[in-house]
Amino acid sequence: LGGAATVNALTGMDINLASFLIPWGVILYTAAGGLKATFLASYIHTAIIFIVLVISVYTVYVKNFSTDFIYENLQRVSSYSEAQCSNMFQSDGVSFYEKGTYSCGPVADNRDGSYLTMLSGGGLQFGIINIVGNFGTVFVDQSYWQSAIAAKPASTHKGYLLGGLVWFTIPFALATSLGLAGVALQLPITSGEAGAGLVPPAVATHLFGEGGAVMMAIMLFMAITSTGSAEGIAVSSLVAYDIYKTYINPEADGPKILLVSKVVIVVFGLCMGVLSVALHYMGLNLGWVYMFMGTAIGSAVVPLWNLLMWKDANALGAVVGAWGGMLLALCTWLIVASAQSGEITVDTLGKLEPNLAGNIVAIVSSGLIHVVFSLAKPQNYDFKSMGEIKMLENDQSGLAEEDYQESVLASAKMWIQKWGWAFTIIMVIIWPLLSLPAGVFSKDYWSMWVFISIAWAFVATFVIIWLPLYESADTFKGIFVAMTGMGSKAEPVAKDQEQPAVTL
């Protein structure tokens, strides 16, 4: 949905056509290469995305402007009156300014109306919505589970934590550079265009001309195809293994599973295009869907967590909690929108308050429902069946014996609990709280903020590009040796010496 809107803005392509062309780029290599193609494409695409990101941050704060320039302009914009804003947005002497449509003048619910503060009522509401919604996308998204299962068991925990810290660069650095530059330069970007995700393309085009449009188009394509490929593989695996093999054809072998997976990838890709067109015709943009996301799927978070971590978690209670929490969240969302605005429309449902209420009710009510069921009738699950899941094929490539040792996995669990909680508390609680005493940022405080975002962007880019290459050095060496014939041929393994299948 967001990709089609951006392609339409950058190239003029019909938005409905773009909605279908984008998935086809994903379908082709995903159906052909499967999970391995997804991993390889994700690495290449992520590298390109971060290179574009670093160029954008460097251009805004080093090449074209400075921290002082952005700071002074943001403070000036927040001091504008409605009359001054009206004079800013004119065409042929006629003002097209509408209050609330453009980022001009003081920001409601912000300290002194400034853009340079963490004391923001709207920011706090959006932050809660963002946390609940992203909990939902991680817990409910099969691609995260599938990537974790496919990765080395003894190192997955570090990869996910590092990936989260690297991912944080994208909203942090892009918002600090292209996002605030759009306001500081007073580009005529409407709230609707911002909600559709068009701020980075607009600012990049202003800074780089046609080259900026090309950069953003490439960055967009890399992000969408990488994500779409992972989702295609995830959905195809669910259908092929959990539906087709479990209920339709329990005797299905590898080739049949592969065929079903490829068919599902094609069908799912087409459905993505259909859904994008449908949402567009309903008048929904990327921002609207993003804020609604937690209301729709946040109710699955706590039941899933309990099922994985609590032996007494009740299976029926998890189902009732997930569905019941969603229904309660949807009702709350509609009621708050009606009470606040007096009517239920796309615009009123897209406001912060109804979405905040829906998100909170989704994640809290589902947890309470599941806990009540589990306490009333504890299941006392021993997790034994999880270790008896049989593999379809005995593929142990890239795995070492230590990857299945209980001591190693227990150590990994302790490590991720320690550092996972530590980074969560630092990023979600300590960092925002330390920013509150600053009130409206001073020039020095703002300079420090920008320095952190620039440093984070460069370090993350280096890590995301270099670390996979470093960790795969032995693999690359083996491929080079095999291609050049410089190494000796390995002795074949005798039939009776083959390792037994390892269950996950």
Side-chain angles (χ1 to χ4, degrees), residues 74-251:
L74 289 174
Q75 290 292 73
R76 187 180 300 113
V77 169
S78 64
S79 68
Y80 284 160
S81 65
E82 189 171 343
Q84 289 174 307
C85 291
S86 182
N87 291 330
M88 288 287 297
F89 296 94
Q90 291 187 7
S91 177
D92 297 328
V94 179
S95 176
F96 54 86
Y97 174 77
E98 294 181 20
K99 188 175 181 180
T101 303
Y102 297 93
S103 296
C104 184
V107 184
D109 298 328
N110 277 24
R111 170 66 67 87
D112 297 338
S114 176
Y115 291 91
L116 300 164
T117 180
M118 289 290 283
L119 292 168
S120 170
L124 177 61
Q125 293 181 69
F126 180 77
I128 296 172
I129 292 171
N130 188 57
I131 290 172
V132 176
N134 279 284
F135 262 129
T137 57
V138 172
F139 274 76
V140 182
D141 190 343
Q142 171 66 11
S143 67
Y144 285 91
W145 301 102
Q146 185 157 316
S147 296
I149 293 170
K152 286 172 65 67
S155 58
T156 303
H157 57 297
K158 295 181 180 179
Y160 266 76
L161 187 60
L162 185 61
L165 292 173
V166 170
W167 170 87
F168 180 69
T169 311
I170 296 176
F172 180 37
L174 274 184
T176 303
S177 56
L178 297 183
L180 290 178
V183 178
L185 298 174
Q186 282 295 272
L187 299 182
I189 304 171
T190 67
S191 57
E193 291 168 339
L198 300 181
V199 174
V203 178
T205 303
H206 177 80
L207 295 176
F208 302 102
E210 291 186 3
V214 173
M215 282 172 51
M216 286 297 111
I218 293 174
M219 186 179 189
L220 171 79
F221 184 77
M222 296 295 102
I224 292 177
T225 53
S226 180
T227 305
S229 175
E231 297 302 330
I233 287 291
V235 173
S236 69
S237 297
L238 283 174
V239 174
Y241 288 93
D242 295 346
I243 298 177
Y244 177 74
K245 182 171 175 58
T246 302
Y247 299 105
I248 299 175
N249 185 5
E251 303 301 322

Side-chain angles (χ1 to χ4, degrees), residues 108-109 121-123 125-126 128-129 291 295 329 332-341 347-361:
D109 298 328
Q125 293 181 69
F126 180 77
I128 296 172
I129 292 171
M291 288 203 295
T295 302
T332 303
W333 176 57
L334 294 170
I335 292 170
V336 173
S338 178
Q340 181 187 35
S341 305
D347 291 336
T348 60
L349 290 173
K351 292 183 177 180
L352 282 173
E353 292 79 7
N355 283 288
L356 175 64
N359 275 256
I360 292 176
V361 169

